[in-house]
Amino acid sequence: MANQATHRQIAVVLEELAQEVEALGAKLCTDMDIAMRHMDSLQGIDLIAQKQRSLATLLDADCPMEEIEKIAIDVLRERMRMLGTAH
């Protein structure tokens, strides 16, 4: 039970961080010069937020193995599959 509570707390923090990272990316995108010169980096910021959300969902899931298959980011989904079978 304590482990589930801890996972939920971590999931909440990951979701908060994802929101903060997205807000940072959005703010940087308001400057067209920055957006044009740093599009790859801005996309990287978005990917970080997506990964954080996926991990938060996994931590809070009743059945993480099922939730892994719902991860939209292929690289992360494969990595989580490998970790799931390593046990």
Side-chain angles (χ1 to χ4, degrees):
M1 189 68 150
N3 196 27
Q4 284 180 325
T6 301
H7 285 175
R8 283 194 179 97
Q9 291 167 333
I10 294 169
V12 167
V13 172
L14 283 170
E15 178 60 36
E16 289 170 357
L17 289 170
Q19 290 175 13
E20 291 174 19
V21 166
E22 282 181 337
L24 172 64
K27 184 168 181 144
L28 292 170
C29 283
T30 61
D31 183 322
M32 265 314 165
D33 186 46
I34 289 174
M36 296 302 291
R37 288 186 299 130
H38 301 284
M39 186 56 64
D40 289 344
S41 297
L42 292 168
Q43 288 173 339
I45 288 172
D46 182 58
L47 185 59
I48 290 168
Q50 289 178 51
K51 286 180 179 180
Q52 288 174 312
R53 282 209 168 86
S54 293
L55 292 173
T57 301
L58 276 180
L59 281 171
D60 205 25
D62 291 329
C63 184
M65 292 309 293
E66 286 181 18
E67 204 60 44
I68 286 172
E69 298 309 314
K70 298 177 187 175
I71 296 173
I73 304 162
D74 296 340
V75 174
L76 182 58
R77 184 176 58 250
E78 289 302 317
R79 188 170 178 189
M80 293 299 105
R81 282 178 181 160
M82 286 189 304
L83 290 173
T85 58
H87 297 285

